[in-house]
Amino acid sequence: MTATPALPDVSREWHLAARPVGWPKPEDFALVEAPMPTPGEGQVLVRNLYVSVDPYMRGRMSAAKSYAAPYELGKVMQGGAVGEVVASRAEGFAVGDHVLHFFGWREYAAFDAKNAVKVDPQAAPLSTYLGVLGMTGLTAYAGLLRTAAFKEGDVVFVSGAAGAVGSQVGQIAKLKGASRVIGSAGSDEKVKLLVEEYGFDAAFNYKSGPVSEQLRAAAPDGIDVYFDNVGGDHLEAAVGSLNLGGRIAVCGMISVYNNTEPAPGPRNLARLIQTRGRIEGFLVGDHYDLQPQFVQEVGPWIASGALKYRETVVEGIENNLEAFFGVLRGDNTGKMIVKL
């Protein structure tokens, strides 16, 4: 085994202490000191440098059956992370290698090397492998191009458009020839960012008035594609503005994640009959076959500056929980990252 010297005796990690009801509370979680893990045969020990917090994690805190297994009470949580190999008992991985993996919410992680993907810090900043070149980027790419079957000339509406996924959806649509891209966000500052930096044709603050009215004003001729990160009144508004043959890709519904009662569905679904519209949910995990194509196409856009991105960086494992709360509140612009 190869290892770097002077590792600490303990590693701090976040445990789920209780299943949240409604909005998560600090007492639902615990920051715990655990013994420094030791890698077994075929494993690596990684010091996490950047960890991801994402809206989908709220669903894993519930015991309800979902597409991902619930977090276990009293045990460390999981999430995307990028780190440096500090000890290796696995062929092909050396101390100093940087890897992408799924053992976040902790300072150090030992795991099977087959669950690690090498990343190149010279090709792109390490944090981007959690966002614009990572899972959120692939989510945007697959959802827009495959699930929503985007085609040149489409009018595209994106909710949560200043977030990690939404901002990339809008820009990819523009780069692929959308005739008009509209975004919604939760502050005037984010609306300005969408238009002035990300190149959206129009954007609105959903807190400034009814979404349906603002969408009609921004897209008077209707929309062909809606990329849904929010649900609720945004989904209903999109159905109301859908053109003939319109497509809706449901990526997330952050507006209802903390509800304790079922949220009412759109009241205008009958309009799908008239428009022959389609609503389809998707998970990025079903589209990893697109990863090589995604990196090949999107990588050069990022390198050239044609596709822009923002990150909201919070420092310190002790602030991991507050960063997650910030995602649920919509505090982040672009990808929320915790730098350890």
Side-chain angles (χ1 to χ4, degrees):
M1 180 175 77
T2 57
T4 53
L7 293 176
D9 294 328
V10 296
S11 169
R12 290 180 293 172
E13 56 187 39
W14 281 97
H15 289 199
L16 185 64
R19 300 211 180 274
V21 177
W23 277 87
K25 304 181 293 297
E27 52 266 34
D28 296 328
F29 307 85
L31 182 59
V32 174
E33 285 191 349
M36 175 60 63
T38 302
E41 190 63 37
Q43 293 192 327
V44 290
L45 175 64
V46 174
R47 176 171 66 92
N48 285 334
L49 301 174
Y50 296 93
V51 302
S52 179
V53 287
D54 302 280
Y56 81 86
M57 294 173 173
R58 176 62 184 88
R60 297 194 67 185
M61 294 169 189
S62 165
K65 187 176 181 181
S66 183
Y67 59 84
Y71 292 134
E72 294 185 56
L73 289 177
K75 293 191 177 179
V76 62
M77 295 185 290
Q78 294 178 328
V82 173
E84 180 183 3
V85 176
V86 295
S88 175
R89 296 186 63 187
E91 190 175 339
F93 289 86
V95 169
D97 286 346
H98 291 88
V99 296
L100 172 67
H101 61 89
F102 208 68
F103 298 93
W105 288 83
R106 71 200 82 183
E107 291 178 305
Y108 290 83
F111 53 89
D112 291 344
K114 66 182 181 182
N115 295 320
V117 177
K118 286 187 186 179
V119 295
D120 183 0
Q122 302 303 317
L126 287 173
S127 59
T128 62
Y129 293 103
L130 294 174
V132 69
L133 275 177
M135 186 176 72
T136 53
L138 181 60
T139 300
Y141 189 85
L144 176 68
L145 301 183
R146 178 175 279 173
T147 306
F150 169 85
K151 59 184 184 296
E152 188 176 351
D154 279 345
V155 177
V156 177
F157 172 45
V158 187
S159 58
V165 174
S167 58
Q168 208 156 340
V169 171
Q171 291 183 84
I172 292 172
K174 288 293 290 184
L175 288 163
K176 287 280 196 179
S179 61
R180 187 167 176 78
V181 175
I182 302 108
S184 74
S187 73
D188 293 340
E189 291 77 17
K190 290 180 179 180
V191 167
K192 184 178 179 183
L193 174 74
L194 292 176
V195 175
E196 295 184 1
E197 185 166 330
Y198 292 153
F200 282 58
D201 297 288
F204 60 85
N205 183 345
Y206 67 83
K207 298 175 183 175
S208 298
V211 175
S212 57
E213 293 178 11
Q214 295 195 78
L215 178 57
R216 276 197 297 272
D221 296 323
I223 62 172
D224 303 300
V225 168
Y226 171 48
F227 194 103
D228 190 16
N229 290 306
V230 173
D233 55 355
H234 281 75
L235 180 55
E236 184 169 299
V239 172
S241 284
L242 210 60
N243 288 332
L244 188 68
R247 291 88 65 205
I248 295 175
V250 180
C251 174
M253 293 193 173
I254 198 169
S255 69
V256 303
Y257 286 171
N258 295 304
N259 288 3
T260 55
E261 299 293 330
R267 298 166 295 182
N268 56 351
L269 286 179
R271 196 167 183 278
L272 294 175
I273 304 168
Q274 172 191 340
T275 62
R276 286 73 131 187
R278 173 169 63 83
I279 301 178
E280 183 177 345
F282 75 98
L283 292 174
V284 66
D286 296 333
H287 302 281
Y288 279 124
D289 62 297
L290 289 176
Q291 179 79 25
Q293 176 184 323
F294 159 69
V295 172
Q296 184 177 18
E297 187 165 23
V298 175
W301 287 340
I302 295 168
S304 69
L307 194 150
K308 299 174 174 63
Y309 68 94
R310 291 277 191 99
E311 293 174 338
T312 300
V313 180
V314 173
E315 301 231 359
I317 187 71
E318 64 276 6
N319 294 314
N320 216 96
L321 182 60
E322 183 53 35
F324 172 67
F325 289 167
V327 167
L328 296 182
R329 292 191 298 260
D331 294 351
N332 55 304
T333 300
K335 183 75 183 76
M336 181 72 91
I337 300 281
V338 181
K339 182 180 180 181
L340 273 53

